[in-house]
Amino acid sequence: MKAIAAREGSIVRIDVEEPDLLDGHVLIRTEYSAISPGTELTMANRSKDKPIGLGYSAVGIIEKVGKAVTSLHPGQRVAC
């Protein structure tokens, strides 16, 4: 999986492992995410060698649903 992160003073695209899917949660393949220049640049300036994930107010497609998720299904477009 890919993610946008602040690391060592820059905004970078990094590879991340797919998270474990918890009961009641969904895995979403993000298509678009808001990135606020002020917040993200501040995080970039404060970042060190450990990446800090960026982005919020996203839209994407559900890839997987966890146990007990009944009103959402894979392939559904959602805002999150």
Side-chain angles (χ1 to χ4, degrees), residues 4 7 9 16 18-20 24 27-28 30 33 48 62-63 67 69 74-75 77:
I4 303 297
R7 182 177 61 200
V16 295
E18 183 175 309
D20 293 330
L27 178 65
I28 300 169
T30 303
S33 176
K48 303 293 183 205
I62 295 176
E63 294 276 311
K67 293 178 183 176
V69 176
R77 183 179 308 267

Side-chain angles (χ1 to χ4, degrees), residues 5-52:
R7 182 177 61 200
E8 297 177 343
S10 297
I11 305 297
V12 296
R13 186 174 75 174
I14 61 172
D15 291 310
V16 295
E17 292 185 29
E18 183 175 309
D20 293 330
L21 188 58
L22 303 173
D23 292 350
H25 289 226
V26 297
L27 178 65
I28 300 169
R29 179 177 27 95
T30 303
E31 294 181 315
Y32 299 97
S33 176
I35 294 180
S36 166
T39 302
E40 273 63 11
L41 289 176
T42 298
M43 295 305 290
N45 291 334
R46 293 181 181 176
S47 64
K48 303 293 183 205
D49 59 338
K50 183 177 180 182
I52 301 169

